[in-house]
Amino acid sequence: MKSIVIVISGRGSNMRAIVEAELPVRVAAVISNDPAAAGLQYARDKGIFTQTVNHREFASRDAFDQALAAAIDAHASDLVVLAGFMRILTDGFVQRYDGRMLNIHPSLLPSFTGLHTHRRALELGVKIHGCTVHFVTPRLDHGPIVIQAAVPVLAGDTEESLAARVLREEHRIYPQAVRWFAEGRLALHNGIVRVTGEDAAQSAFPDR
Ligand code: GRF
């Protein structure tokens, strides 16, 4: 069975969705850059090994990334799952986990890379919004796309209501992406992800 390390910064609801999906993976550890991350307590309660690598204790981004990599590598896991991890990673760190590190981003990439995606979607009046699971590459929020889910933007939506609608989909597609990885069904060809097998065409639209 493959093993994963989940890296969080806060609430950890995506981590929780992955743990609760009972995937064919062993969650070797949950690591946070913030000792106050609420998700750590959930992981502890589940008996999962937790660790904090506090970014505030490091003089440089490089030093932090090296400590984080050491913490991750101690588990010799197959996949690193960034789940609401809010630090920008150095190129060296990203390259170390080439093809074995996933991230979830709350927009339909390549639209709305970066922060405040829901606010910006509302400001621009887009009618469809969503979320993306992608492999992490050095260019922020630009890695090969594994799965996306779309939601409508409704009249009267606020940043909060739109975020909640997107988050429900995050909790659906992130476990799916991790499952595909665990089952060895993700292949990368020239920066494009191909999913093999029956449910490979799993739609971006929840009801299909
Ligand atoms: C999610 O919306 C994720 O897409 C974004 O930050 C949020 C983290 O939520 N990067 P959680 O910590 O998984 O609850």
Side-chain angles (χ1 to χ4, degrees):
M1 187 185 280
K2 290 199 167 124
S3 77
I4 67 172
V5 168
I6 306 179
V7 186
I8 65 170
S9 291
R11 179 178 57 182
S13 69
N14 277 288
M15 168 208 65
R16 190 174 175 146
I18 289 165
V19 169
E20 288 179 358
E22 297 186 356
L23 303 172
V25 295
R26 190 174 76 83
V27 182
V30 170
I31 299 174
S32 172
N33 63 297
D34 183 353
L40 286 172
Q41 190 56 49
Y42 169 85
R44 264 184 232 117
D45 291 347
K46 284 276 170 189
I48 299 169
F49 176 89
T50 62
Q51 188 177 347
T52 298
V53 182
N54 188 341
H55 66 275
R56 295 178 193 87
E57 293 171 0
F58 295 87
S60 68
R61 214 177 265 287
D62 249 328
F64 167 70
D65 278 8
Q66 275 174 33
L68 182 60
I72 292 169
D73 291 351
H75 301 282
S77 68
D78 300 285
L79 179 69
V80 179
V81 177
L82 304 182
F85 179 64
M86 300 306 283
R87 307 292 301 170
I88 302 227
L89 295 162
T90 55
D91 288 2
F93 181 95
V94 170
Q95 274 148 12
R96 183 188 196 97
Y97 301 104
D98 187 31
R100 53 192 187 101
M101 180 157 64
L102 294 175
N103 182 46
I104 187 147
H105 183 75
S107 79
L108 288 173
L109 291 174
S111 293
F112 307 117
T113 60
L115 296 173
H116 309 302
T117 56
H118 309 306
R119 187 191 311 165
R120 287 156 57 212
L122 288 172
E123 280 168 1
L124 278 183
V126 300
K127 306 304 178 210
I128 298 172
H129 189 44
C131 47
T132 303
V133 177
H134 63 95
F135 280 104
V136 180
T137 56
R139 194 167 165 213
L140 186 70
D141 300 331
H142 273 86
I145 292 169
V146 176
I147 184 169
Q148 296 183 296
V151 301
V153 179
L154 303 177
D157 258 340
T158 61
E159 209 175 323
E160 291 69 33
S161 63
L162 184 55
R165 193 173 308 120
V166 171
L167 192 65
R168 270 197 300 280
E169 292 305 302
E170 293 185 38
H171 295 166
R172 184 176 68 84
I173 67 170
Y174 214 175
Q176 178 66 270
V178 174
R179 178 185 294 279
W180 281 337
F181 184 93
E183 292 172 350
R185 293 172 53 197
L186 298 181
L188 266 166
H189 295 280
N190 300 325
I192 304 282
V193 176
R194 287 201 197 127
V195 186
T196 57
E198 268 184 9
D199 58 347
Q202 167 116 356
S203 165
F205 301 98
D207 295 327
R208 246 184 71 185

